[in-house]
Amino acid sequence: MRAVWYERNGPAEVLCLGEMPDPVPGPGEVRVRIITSGINPSDWKRRQGLTRRLEFPRVIPHQDGAGVIDRVGPGVPASRLGERVWLYQAQIGRPFGTAAEYTVQPAERAIPLPANTSFVAGAGLGVPAMTAHRCVCADGPVAGKTVLVTGGAGAVAHYAIQLAKLYGARVISTVSSDHKAQIALAAGADHTINYRTEDTAQRIMELTGGAGVEHIVEVDFAGNFHVSREVLCSNGVLAVYAAGVAPQPAVPLQFKASNVTLRFVLVYDMPESAKHAAVTDITRLLEAGQLRHHPGPRFPLAAAMQAQQAVEGGAIGKVVLEVAESP
């Protein structure tokens, strides 16, 4: 099979394209012919060694992907052959992710992809949609609440806005441009605030009649904390999935409100029950046609280096490798 890999941490130039033996599924595993491989910020950060040093002699990157099961290992029903699936955490605790023509994964990580959902969309569900689900749903219902989703044009934010709206919340989203405001509004945000041109905290308090927000889905914990501490209500939730411009805000970590829940979300370390809940809800919403996707630039497998650089450079929309043609 053709695959992209790296054998040392470093810049995108460490990525190599070549041929490797076709993998064979073991007990409880399936082999997936990859159609699309999704790229997340965590992928290039792992490659650089910022979040994880090299754990295996050779790593095929990328956690997310979508494709078709073409072989099953012992203990997996043959009825799964030919099944369209999406994958999540394909390279956690394993050397070989989805940047290849084939990948072998535990059968439970290969989730049936509804017929109304494209392989391109399927490659963007694992990290973004599951992270968004945890951020929105982990601390109880959001129905009737006001939810602030920062960075509203981002991949996680795109699903967080939709999930919060689907579950009955009012959504305010921060953005940095008119173009990004349109993306957030298209996802379902009720209001957007351009943090470059507006006083974000003041505008949030105006929109909420001085009450503030009950829930925040946060992409830049450090950079936005000066706003979070001002606008979060008592008994509110700050769900953080990215540190942002600095490892942490300046101390003291003090809110104006009391009884605040601060939740740090990393999709790979979520409890299995939380992953199952996310997969179940995402599948239900996909089948009902209730989730919109935000595709971004697409690259062939041979351009994996340029694709990862696009993600590192802040490309808008989900960046995907098109590994094979859709069947």
Side-chain angles (χ1 to χ4, degrees):
M1 68 175 182
R2 290 194 312 150
V4 170
W5 67 79
Y6 58 93
E7 296 177 342
R8 60 184 176 90
N9 292 119
E13 286 76 12
V14 302
L15 293 169
C16 303
L17 174 69
E19 292 189 352
M20 290 177 56
D22 292 348
V24 177
E29 294 180 331
V30 296
R31 188 174 77 177
V32 178
R33 182 169 66 88
I34 295 294
I35 307 298
T36 52
S37 175
I39 306 175
N40 298 288
S42 59
D43 294 314
W44 67 259
K45 290 176 182 179
R46 289 172 74 91
R47 184 206 73 228
Q48 283 197 356
L50 299 177
T51 57
R52 182 75 59 142
R53 301 302 296 176
L54 195 67
E55 298 175 280
F56 304 96
R58 172 177 288 184
V59 169
I60 294 176
H62 303 171
Q63 305 291 345
D64 294 350
V68 177
I69 294 176
D70 79 329
R71 289 188 68 173
V72 298
V76 179
S79 60
R80 296 207 67 181
L81 289 168
E83 191 175 278
R84 302 168 79 250
V85 296
W86 59 277
L87 304 170
Y88 69 95
Q89 66 178 66
Q91 201 260 302
I92 292 295
R94 307 171 69 87
F96 301 148
T98 67
E101 291 180 318
Y102 296 96
T103 188
V104 164
Q105 297 293 325
E108 64 271 17
R109 296 282 189 251
I111 310 302
L113 184 67
N116 64 354
T117 306
S118 71
F119 288 107
V120 170
L125 296 173
V127 169
M130 292 179 69
T131 299
H133 185 275
R134 182 68 169 166
C135 286
V136 171
C137 301
D139 294 283
V142 295
K145 296 181 179 180
T146 299
V147 176
L148 171 64
V149 179
T150 63
V156 173
H158 188 72
Y159 288 112
I161 291 170
Q162 294 180 72
L163 291 172
K165 287 298 295 180
L166 286 166
Y167 296 146
R170 177 193 186 201
V171 177
I172 300 171
S173 185
T174 59
V175 295
S176 61
S177 69
D178 291 343
H179 174 58
K180 291 181 177 180
Q182 292 306 310
I183 294 171
L185 291 168
D190 296 286
H191 305 279
T192 61
I193 300 169
N194 188 326
Y195 63 82
R196 295 186 187 277
T197 61
E198 301 178 78
D199 184 318
T200 303
Q202 178 180 319
R203 184 67 179 131
I204 289 171
M205 299 309 285
E206 289 173 357
L207 289 170
T208 60
V213 301
E214 290 97 337
H215 198 112
I216 301 174
V217 178
E218 183 57 77
V219 68
D220 188 349
F221 182 38
N224 293 331
F225 185 70
H226 67 289
V227 173
S228 302
R229 68 181 302 274
E230 297 288 332
V231 304
L232 189 62
C233 298
S234 292
N235 303 301
V237 174
L238 175 56
V240 178
Y241 65 92
V245 297
Q248 61 190 20
V251 293
L253 193 65
Q254 188 172 13
F255 294 84
K256 284 199 168 181
S258 59
N259 295 304
V260 167
T261 297
L262 182 56
R263 175 177 293 279
F264 293 99
V265 174
L266 178 63
V267 66
Y268 310 122
D269 286 339
M270 282 164 41
E272 287 301 316
S273 59
K275 294 174 186 176
H276 177 74
V279 167
T280 299
D281 282 358
I282 290 166
T283 299
R284 175 177 55 82
L285 294 171
L286 289 173
E287 290 174 342
Q290 291 183 292
L291 282 185
R292 295 181 294 277
H293 312 286
H294 187 202
R298 304 183 195 179
F299 296 82
L301 182 64
M305 179 178 74
Q306 291 83 356
Q308 285 206 4
Q309 289 172 329
V311 175
E312 188 172 353
I316 296 175
K318 185 66 180 181
V319 177
V320 167
L321 294 181
E322 295 183 306
V323 180
E325 292 186 8
S326 297

